[in-house]
Amino acid sequence: QVQLVESGGGLVQPGGSVRLSCAASTLPYYCVSWFRQTPGKEREGIALMVTSDDSTHYADSVKGRFTMSRDNAKNTVYLQIDSLKPEDTAVYYCATDPRLRYCSLSENDYNYWGQGTQVTVSS
């Protein structure tokens, strides 16, 4: 059973940047994804990585500002967020699942989640 631990969130000014980390207890499975959630809203899938070739896919709402990467030696996946906006304020989660053979941004496809890290964008 994989354990995921996110870190790197905090209070950031609009226009700033933050890099979130997702450390996995085991080698990453085929898909690793990032989601975010604000109070009263459904969890939104924002980015995924296919670990077989490190290809990435982003939701239209974050494309161009969010970048996924990973460090295999550290079993860690990153989410770089640039040009932060107040509407990016959310709890950010990473997720994976060993059963997946295709990757999606649907939260229902994932059974392993981290505890989340809060990103607050405010001046």
Side-chain angles (χ1 to χ4, degrees):
Q1 181 175 349
V2 63
Q3 292 181 329
L4 303 173
V5 179
E6 300 98 334
S7 60
L11 176 62
V12 188
Q13 290 189 342
S17 298
V18 67
R19 189 177 77 160
L20 307 181
S21 300
C22 172
S25 59
T26 65
L27 292 174
Y29 296 118
Y30 186 67
C31 305
V32 181
S33 297
W34 285 94
F35 293 76
R36 65 183 180 184
Q37 188 171 27
T38 55
K41 293 187 177 181
E42 293 185 355
R43 200 170 293 185
E44 175 190 16
I46 54 176
L48 65 83
M49 175 178 282
V50 182
T51 59
S52 61
D53 61 4
D54 286 357
S55 58
T56 54
H57 173 77
Y58 303 93
D60 289 342
S61 59
V62 305
K63 199 172 294 183
R65 297 190 299 119
F66 287 39
T67 305
M68 277 189 76
S69 61
R70 69 172 177 146
D71 184 331
N72 293 340
K74 296 181 180 179
N75 285 349
T76 299
V77 174
Y78 302 100
L79 183 67
Q80 175 75 30
I81 309 175
D82 298 318
S83 302
L84 277 158
K85 305 175 182 180
E87 51 263 42
D88 293 321
T89 296
V91 178
Y92 286 74
Y93 300 89
C94 61
T96 191
D97 196 295
R99 305 169 304 165
L100 292 176
R101 293 300 176 263
Y102 67 93
C103 301
S104 79
L105 291 177
S106 172
E107 65 172 313
N108 293 330
D109 287 343
Y110 296 87
N111 283 309
Y112 295 97
W113 296 81
Q115 82 289 352
T117 185
Q118 175 73 47
V119 174
T120 302
V121 184
S122 175
S123 55

